[in-house]
């Protein structure tokens, strides 16, 4: 774990992220809040590309909780069987659809507590939905953000909860809305787990990582 970067370093790093990608977007395809919840829940232990491939046809016929319930568990299973843990995920999609209909009037709730009450929806999933759909500056910490936060010193922490708090506490307000997207994209495409591309990194001079790679990976 690298030491926590100071305020000026954090401002400069996120200013560069913003200059490079002013409006970063999540890569999971969705058409409304419900399909976003489903897509994020399905993305656990799966790639965004794999989820998108599986849900394109699913969301054409089931883009509301009511339509998903009408499709049924077997119907959902048939669409998502290329995704890991698909049977359990299909079961959860039907369960959360039922709860949305019975308890929330068929609408996706906009509080973290309500979201995490849904089967298959944890804190990270809830934060993605709050950030992407409801425009709340919630920080969804995945393995990419955990790695980048600890390598660079921008938001280090011993676990994902600590990194989430570090982002909230250390990153200035003007960067909060997009902070987790910038960090995810940086981790996914540049600060990779096995071969970090330090040679072409836009924050290389600000990074506290001791094992920087001199040449591009």
């Amino acid at each position: 774990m690298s030491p926590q970067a100071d305020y000026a370093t954090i401002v400069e790093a996120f200013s560069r992220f913003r200059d490079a990608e002013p409006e970063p977007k999540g890569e999971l395809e969705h058409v409304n809040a419900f399909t976003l919840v489903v897509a994020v829940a399905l993305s656990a232990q799966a790639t965004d590309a794999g989820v998108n491939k599986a849900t394109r046809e699913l969301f054409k016929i089931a883009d509301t909780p009511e339509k998903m319930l009408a499709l049924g568990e077997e119907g959902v299973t048939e669409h998502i069987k290329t995704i890991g843990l698909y049977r359990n995920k299909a079961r959860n999609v039907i369960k959360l659809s039922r709860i949305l209909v019975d308890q929330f009037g068929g609408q996706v709730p906009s509080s973290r507590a309500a979201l995490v009450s849904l089967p298959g929806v944890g804190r990270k999933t809830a934060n993605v939905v709050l950030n992407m759909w409801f425009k709340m500056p919630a920080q969804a910490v995945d393995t990419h953000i955990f790695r980048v936060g600890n390598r660079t010193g921008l938001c280090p922490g011993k676990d994902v909860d600590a990194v989430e708090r570090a982002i909230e506490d250390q990153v200035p307000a003007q960067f909060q809305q997009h902070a987790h997207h910038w960090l995810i994209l940086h981790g996914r495409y540049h600060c990779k787990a096995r071969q970090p591309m330090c040679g072409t990194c836009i924050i290389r001079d600000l990074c506290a990582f001791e094992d920087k790679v001199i040449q591009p990976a």
Side-chain angles (χ1 to χ4, degrees), residues 162-179:
V163 171
E164 181 181 334
R165 289 193 298 272
I167 299 172
E168 293 172 346
D169 292 346
Q170 301 291 341
V171 176
Q174 65 265 34
F175 304 115
Q176 284 283 329
Q177 184 62 51
H178 296 311

Side-chain angles (χ1 to χ4, degrees), residues 8-9 12 17 24 28 30 33 55-56 79 95 101 103 125 136 151 174 186 194-195 198 204 207:
T9 299
E12 178 61 25
F17 289 148
L28 286 172
H30 60 283
T55 58
R56 283 190 189 114
H79 278 89
K95 287 180 179 178
V101 170
Q103 299 182 23
T125 299
M136 174 180 172
R151 271 184 180 172
Q174 65 265 34
H186 192 64
R194 295 186 179 180
Q195 289 187 307
C198 301
R204 184 172 186 269
C207 177

Side-chain angles (χ1 to χ4, degrees), residues 151-203:
R151 271 184 180 172
T152 63
L154 293 176
C155 43
K158 64 180 180 180
D159 53 37
V160 293
D161 291 336
V163 171
E164 181 181 334
R165 289 193 298 272
I167 299 172
E168 293 172 346
D169 292 346
Q170 301 291 341
V171 176
Q174 65 265 34
F175 304 115
Q176 284 283 329
Q177 184 62 51
H178 296 311
H180 92 276
H181 277 130
W182 283 319
L183 293 168
I184 286 173
L185 294 173
H186 192 64
R188 183 173 291 166
Y189 298 112
H190 301 284
C191 194
K192 300 177 182 180
R194 295 186 179 180
Q195 289 187 307
M197 301 172 67
C198 301
T200 57
C201 175
I202 63 173
I203 62 166

